[in-house]
Amino acid sequence: MLGITDLTTYLIGTIIVIMLPGPNAMYVLSVAAQRGKRAGFAAAGGVVSGDFILMTLAATGAAGLLQANPALFAVVKYIGGGYLAWLGINMLKSGIVAWRRTRRGEASPAAASALSGGHPYRKALLISLMNPKAILFFVSFFVQFVDPAYPHPAVTFVALGAIVQGCSIANLSMLILLGDKLAAAFRRRRKLTAALGGSVGAVFVGFGAKLAAASL
């Protein structure tokens, strides 16, 4: 069982990692800002589900498989990086198109198209599973605190998982409330909405490149 020191180290590390900007947080904030709280919480549900899948795979040995097989990890990271970059490019293109339409004084239905397409839960689930920060966290940090020699490893897994999910839900809820507050401003200012879509797209391209360059 984890001692107080190990538990404190794990809690601090988890909070720091979750508070760092990542594709999960950026997507949930953007969806809440452009589509409202309901869509934001649906996206948060996808993030929580994705994190649960990743931590389960890590605790059951998938992390060791990735570490022992560099070629497999390369396939995973390049597919994930490509997906995030693809999302980012689409968001960036939509933002540019929307910005040009607003400059010409035209209606801008495409302003939020990059985020409005698809169900937010499913898209957030895929983003979570391809999130470089989450993958490296569960593969390199989370598994260090799951002791297979402990007579009841499931207890440790549940406790560690509850800490991660609790911190994640609290952080995502704050982002959703913030996004909802910004929604009115985005509805009034189409240029701001277009700029948001383009900026988030550029960030996602960066996340994709970061995942493609990641190493265990």
Side-chain angles (χ1 to χ4, degrees):
M1 190 64 177
L2 291 176
I4 297 298
T5 301
D6 289 337
L7 188 60
T8 301
T9 300
Y10 176 77
L11 178 60
I12 294 174
T14 298
I15 292 174
I16 291 174
V17 171
I18 287 176
M19 292 300 293
L20 291 174
N24 291 351
M26 291 295 297
Y27 179 73
V28 170
L29 175 62
S30 300
V31 167
Q34 294 196 13
R35 298 176 61 179
K37 287 191 290 186
R38 184 172 181 177
F41 279 111
V47 171
V48 171
S49 298
D51 285 350
F52 178 77
I53 292 172
L54 288 177
M55 75 173 69
T56 301
L57 292 174
T60 55
L65 181 62
L66 289 177
Q67 290 173 326
N69 193 331
L72 178 60
F73 179 69
V75 171
V76 172
K77 73 175 185 176
Y78 288 132
I79 291 176
Y83 177 69
L84 293 177
W86 176 77
L87 284 177
I89 290 171
N90 284 335
M91 292 180 188
L92 189 56
K93 288 168 59 178
S94 295
I96 292 173
V97 170
W99 180 269
R100 289 175 176 172
R101 291 176 70 91
T102 58
R103 289 287 298 272
R104 295 194 297 265
E106 300 175 6
S108 183
S113 62
L115 293 176
S116 60
H119 194 281
Y121 174 87
R122 291 192 292 269
K123 186 170 285 188
L125 175 62
L126 284 176
I127 291 173
S128 180
L129 293 175
M130 301 299 179
N131 180 3
K133 187 179 73 171
I135 292 173
L136 295 177
F137 172 79
F138 289 116
V139 169
S140 303
F141 184 77
F142 177 80
V143 293
Q144 296 182 31
F145 296 88
V146 180
D147 184 7
Y150 180 65
H152 305 288
V155 175
T156 305
F157 172 76
V158 170
L160 296 177
I163 291 173
V164 173
Q165 298 289 42
C167 293
S168 179
I169 290 171
N171 182 56
L172 293 175
S173 296
M174 289 189 293
L175 291 174
I176 290 169
L177 295 177
L178 174 61
D180 187 58
K181 293 291 185 182
L182 296 173
F186 290 137
R187 284 193 294 267
R188 291 193 304 267
R189 304 178 64 180
R190 291 180 298 166
K191 286 185 178 181
L192 187 60
T193 303
L196 172 69
S199 300
V200 173
V203 171
F204 265 73
V205 172
F207 287 140
K210 181 178 179 181
L211 176 56
S215 59
L216 291 176

